[in-house]
Amino acid sequence: MGNKIIFGEGLISTLGEQHKKQRKMLNPVFSLANMRILLPIIQPIADKLRDVLTSQVQESRQCKEIDVLPWMTRGTLEYISQAGLGYSFNALEATKSHPYTEALKSLAPTSLGIIMLRPLVPVAIRNFSLNWRNKLIDWLPIKGLKKMREIVRVMDRSSRQIFQEKKDALGKNTPDTGEMPVEGDVGARLLGKDIMSILLNANTASEDADRLTEAEILGQMNTIIFAGFETTTTAICRILYILASNPEVQARLRSELREARLAYKAAHGLPEEQRWEDVQLPYDALVALPYLDAVVRETLRVHPPTSLLSRVTRQPTTLPLQYPVRAASGEKVSSVAVPEGTTVIISILAANHNKDVWGEDASVWKPERWLTASGERIRFSHDLDGALGENQEFEGEGTPGSKTGVKYPGVYASMMTFIGGGRACIGFKFAEMEMKQIITALISTLHFSLPANKEIYWKINGLQVPVVRPPYGDGTTPAVPLDVRLVRESDF
């Protein structure tokens, strides 16, 4: 119910048949076929992010400390806004800001600050009208509530404006109209392959019974942008931090990228003068790079951006247990009865570190677990994450996350980072593509290392939040300061 107030009738808020209808409509948007088309179109975002950091390093003419967190935030915002909405907030322009993006940046920390009030939301909605709820917020001396209300108002107002512009632009931004696109709209450059364009076109072509209402489409806008922004930013920053902490891993990854790009350049007859750093790999080549894939997977497993989630049972059920536990009575039980309306807390972090599934070194960051002895990428079945070709078979036992036939039902490589089942993250392949595209662009040109003296600590507040410990930081303000310089030959 709280999600519905914030995001509207989007995928994260709806239940039952309404949720199934929405997911059915959105599934084709996140298909591999659409990812293949999107990747080269939105490559300029990763390139611009690289150029912004490169220019700062070049100005200093030496290694420079840069807080990469705000820049990764800007990059992921621009990435998901263009690919998701076909709209640019110019987030990578340091002098520009937009009310919608500022509201999004404040959403997670503000909601975490008032999380203890969340159980009271259904009570307030059932017993008070909207007018009285607003009066309560005005009267109560809780600044977080007032700030959250303003965030929701800004998001609603901005999303409605963008939605209307998007509907108008879909009929105008065609090559033969000669009309200029609305400010911010990049739908024409995206060839109508952004998520909102596909959704609007599919919705128009649907039968009345399957068609989404305007409120539902608006809900998808806010849901897609938020879901594809905060957690992806955290994951990319964590990868950069790990690479900065492990120069040998960074060097191996950079070498893999150079080798793959040079091979692609030679195989496709690209101009001899083109630098290997500027060679753009297509989707299938990028996501299949073994070591890059291993680094991303292992980071998402050991350090999931969201450490826990909750779910509420809508009907009585029985939860089977893989391993029996001893009840308070002393009796061993292999299942637990869960009444309707029970809140179930899912610890993603505990699942991803479970030694019974991942082995004794479950809490060790070890990308090699995702590689064969010869350094190739371990294969997975389609029901895990679509990493296999059409005629390949699942290796099963011996793959990470599958020990003695026991594995989690996660949609991504058996881990629970993107959850599983009917409410699993629908955009996990998009998130994976974005991470790999940005990391590839940055690592090819820039070298990252940890700054002297400053200790970066990752607080777990629902989301993983990086801060700098005192005396060089306040231990509260999110930041990831790293020493950045241009790549040298010795960095391979």
Side-chain angles (χ1 to χ4, degrees), residues 408-425:
Y408 285 101
V411 292
Y412 181 70
S414 287
M415 67 181 79
M416 291 300 290
T417 303
F418 294 100
I419 310 299
R423 300 192 73 88
C425 176

Side-chain angles (χ1 to χ4, degrees), residues 361-492:
D361 60 354
S363 295
V364 178
W365 189 85
K366 182 178 155 186
E368 289 76 18
R369 77 174 74 244
W370 302 98
L371 303 172
T372 64
S374 60
E376 296 176 352
R377 186 179 182 218
I378 285 180
R379 298 179 298 168
F380 287 90
S381 67
H382 288 297
D383 65 328
L384 291 180
D385 67 349
L388 284 182
E390 293 298 328
N391 298 316
Q392 291 176 303
E393 295 179 358
F394 176 41
E395 291 185 350
E397 187 62 36
T399 59
S402 178
K403 186 179 179 183
T404 61
V406 179
K407 66 182 182 68
Y408 285 101
V411 292
Y412 181 70
S414 287
M415 67 181 79
M416 291 300 290
T417 303
F418 294 100
I419 310 299
R423 300 192 73 88
C425 176
I426 196 172
F428 74 95
K429 296 303 292 183
F430 178 87
E432 178 194 42
M433 177 183 75
E434 178 181 0
M435 290 177 217
K436 290 183 176 181
Q437 194 173 29
I438 290 176
I439 292 297
T440 298
L442 297 180
I443 291 299
S444 297
T445 303
L446 301 168
H447 178 276
F448 297 86
S449 57
L450 296 179
N453 301 320
K454 292 185 178 179
E455 181 186 357
I456 300 171
Y457 172 67
W458 296 78
K459 298 171 67 176
I460 299 180
N461 296 337
L463 292 173
Q464 297 210 12
V465 182
V467 299
V468 178
R469 287 188 187 273
Y472 298 100
D474 59 13
T476 302
T477 305
V480 183
L482 298 176
D483 285 344
V484 187
R485 61 169 171 78
L486 296 178
V487 166
R488 303 166 184 159
E489 186 57 37
S490 57
D491 295 327
F492 290 87

Side-chain angles (χ1 to χ4, degrees), residues 301 304 307 346-355 358 362 408 416:
R301 184 190 71 82
S307 56
I346 304 166
S347 176
I348 296 172
L349 194 63
N352 287 358
H353 286 244
N354 188 343
K355 293 181 180 180
W358 298 96
Y408 285 101
M416 291 300 290

